Amino acid sequence: MMPRSPSSIFVLRNNDLGDVLVTTPLLAGLRLAFPNAKVSIGVGKWARTLLEHNPDLDEIVDCNAPWHNKQNCNFPANSPKTFLAGLWYVLFSKESRFITKSKHSHGIDILGSRQGSWLLKRARIHHRFGVKGYAGGDDWCEDCVDFREDRNVAKAGLAFLALLDAKAEIEPRPRIFLREEERLEAESRWGERKEKSKRIILAPGGGFPEKCWGDDNFSTLLQIFLEQTNHKIAIIGSREDKKRVQANAPSSKPIRMENLCGELSLRQSAALVAQSDFVLSNSSLPMHLAGAFGIPSVTVLGEWYDSAQLHQRQWGYPEGLVLGKETSNGMPNLFEPEDVFNIYKKHANENHPRSL
């Protein structure tokens, strides 16, 4: 029988950056429901900084597990090589041994996978919780959240609270805890606010090319912003994103664009988003950074996605729009940059009436 008050809860989220962010509402719920329990999360080294200064956590554990992420999972999820790499990690890695020594009473594999269940069992966590109907491992769990394709991912994470007999009302929105100096640095980077000039984040990077809207589309959109607005534009992303977008600033207007790709840490990028007015991106981390701070956004999908409406339900936020194909409704084409700009103007006007 499961104890009503867990003594130590280990949350497994060795996945990508956006996945880690949408786990933070669950962490808040666990802290609220079980204030005396130790709450730990296992994440890849690539995501640690997003969780710094989070009061809902007692411990961030290195968990560079080689499955279901773009960072160190080099083969398809169900391939023999991924199977063997995951098994080796669970049985022999230093990180796995550390998790075992921590003696957690409860474990939650938010993604829900067979490898995740192996890790929780190997760690001798008696009360294990996973996901049924996604990537396996549910037979090794005490109870599971049912996978539903049309359910918001953050809300699906919060469903684990009910499995632990916990009652906590938590908004399904990512939580990032910035220090005051981080916000001040971002404010300084943006510079003085001017009338009718808003702060626009452009984020052209993404995990897989087929999931992205495309460099040419973002370049054209940037050119439209430079020619038709007085807004300040900050381009953020990794070093590899530096040359994704190209545009010529009109000679009649001062330069209002700064390409910061590869120059900012994750937390500096988050702070820049927090001090912005609007975010335009692929389905990637900046979409969730905007969601964390309630910043209006437009997320533009690539060829891989068949339904923007489904993506909105899964990953979207109330003040954000997702644009892309809707093949079931006879809309098989991606949005053109001019259309995205016009939709941006309408959406920005609704959220910032004086921004245009």
Side-chain angles (χ1 to χ4, degrees), residues 15-35:
N15 312 115
D16 296 308
L17 297 171
D19 301 318
V20 172
L21 275 186
V22 297
T23 300
T24 53
L26 171 61
L27 300 177
L30 293 173
R31 173 62 73 212
L32 183 62
F34 307 110

Side-chain angles (χ1 to χ4, degrees), residues 79-90:
S79 72
K81 290 184 178 180
T82 299
F83 175 92
L84 292 174
L87 187 61
W88 188 95
Y89 178 90
V90 168

Side-chain angles (χ1 to χ4, degrees), residues 285-313:
L285 176 64
M287 169 187 181
H288 300 291
L289 295 177
F293 300 110
I295 305 297
S297 67
V298 167
T299 300
V300 197
L301 304 181
E303 288 286 354
W304 190 84
Y305 299 98
D306 289 328
S307 173
Q309 293 179 12
L310 177 60
H311 200 79
Q312 178 83 51
R313 290 196 295 271

Side-chain angles (χ1 to χ4, degrees), residues 212-224:
C212 295
W213 189 41
D215 297 350
D216 289 344
N217 284 329
F218 273 107
S219 294
T220 301
L221 180 62
L222 173 59
Q223 191 69 51
I224 294 172

Side-chain angles (χ1 to χ4, degrees), residues 8 20 39 60 137 236:
S8 179
V20 172
V39 179
I60 304 172
I236 64 172

